[in-house]
Amino acid sequence: MLNPWQECIEACYLCAAACDHCAASCLEEENLDMMRNCIRMDMQCASICRAAAQFMALNSESAKTLCKLCADICQQCGDECGKHEHDHCQACAKACRHCAEQCRKMAA
């Protein structure tokens, strides 16, 4: 049987991968100072997404609490990445917003 949270788990892993790609791509941008907060948020978001996915896969009693925090951080990261026109930032913002939505459903 699939984990009842499978859709959210997948959204978390996709978001973490998008954040990792965005952070690495941001490091290659010319105006690195402008990208600092984006990189910082990408790193934090990727970490919390992986943790939330793991807690859901473990069917942890703390999964919903972690998903609520994950949703908040994903929203912040999505907002930050959304400020930048780079394709990697826009793709990351989209993944973050989707993950935030999935995590909010799970935390409800």
Side-chain angles (χ1 to χ4, degrees):
M1 183 178 126
L2 275 179
N3 187 308
W5 296 342
Q6 193 62 35
E7 197 174 345
C8 190
I9 290 169
E10 289 173 9
C12 284
Y13 280 129
L14 288 172
C15 185
C19 286
D20 285 343
H21 176 70
C22 187
S25 297
C26 284
L27 288 170
E28 301 298 320
E29 296 297 338
E30 284 183 28
N31 188 350
L32 196 54
D33 277 347
M34 186 179 78
M35 306 312 294
R36 277 187 210 282
N37 204 38
C38 189
I39 296 166
R40 184 178 299 114
M41 286 306 307
D42 284 337
M43 291 167 45
Q44 292 175 25
C45 190
S47 291
I48 195 75
C49 284
R50 286 190 186 92
Q54 182 178 24
F55 273 57
M56 285 184 280
L58 292 168
N59 205 24
S60 170
E61 294 156 5
S62 300
K64 287 189 178 196
T65 302
L66 196 53
C67 281
K68 184 180 181 329
L69 178 61
C70 187
D72 292 344
I73 292 173
C74 283
Q75 189 65 53
Q76 291 170 28
C77 188
D79 290 348
E80 177 60 33
C81 288
K83 295 176 186 176
H84 305 285
E85 292 181 15
H86 308 101
D87 289 345
H88 55 85
C89 288
Q90 290 299 313
C92 187
K94 184 177 178 184
C96 287
R97 290 182 188 122
H98 177 68
C99 189
E101 181 184 322
Q102 291 299 315
C103 281
R104 280 190 200 102
K105 284 183 193 175
M106 292 317 305

